[in-house]
Amino acid sequence: MCIRDRIKRIRTNNKAQDRNKAYRSALRTAIRKFRDAVTSGDAAKIKSEFTDASRSLDMAVSKGVIHANNAANKKSAMAKLANKAGIR
């Protein structure tokens, strides 16, 4: 493998790493907003934050940032919280 190919591979890996980091950060923020909505008890806010977080998880799966089972587990846990709060 040529040195130029290695440099290019490093550059593309760094781009993908930055992109994945941004997706993961957005995911954590969406899930945190959902949990904050659950603690506040506002039904409309819980429902909207649940859909936003679910959409973010599905997007991360489609982009290959997280595994599909990981997203399913997170969505299931969020649904349990929403049901416990009396929403859904």
Side-chain angles (χ1 to χ4, degrees):
M1 185 179 248
C2 180
I3 187 111
R4 280 176 279 155
D5 294 337
R6 291 180 196 152
I7 292 170
K8 183 177 179 183
R9 172 53 60 189
I10 290 168
R11 200 178 317 125
T12 56
N13 285 345
N14 288 339
K15 282 182 187 176
Q17 184 181 19
D18 292 341
R19 191 168 42 246
N20 290 344
K21 198 180 292 186
Y23 269 108
R24 276 193 213 100
S25 176
L27 271 178
R28 287 190 202 106
T29 303
I31 292 170
R32 187 172 3 95
K33 282 183 179 180
F34 168 75
R35 288 194 180 129
D36 291 343
V38 169
T39 56
S40 74
D42 183 14
K45 191 173 180 183
I46 291 172
K47 199 164 197 167
S48 68
E49 294 298 338
F50 180 77
T51 55
D52 289 345
S54 295
R55 191 173 293 128
S56 298
L57 284 165
D58 291 337
M59 183 63 75
V61 168
S62 70
K63 298 295 181 182
V65 177
I66 62 172
H67 195 273
N69 290 352
N70 187 354
N73 289 337
K74 288 185 189 300
K75 283 165 59 173
S76 174
M78 288 191 314
K80 280 183 185 177
L81 281 175
N83 288 334
K84 204 174 203 181
I87 285 64
R88 264 189 60 116

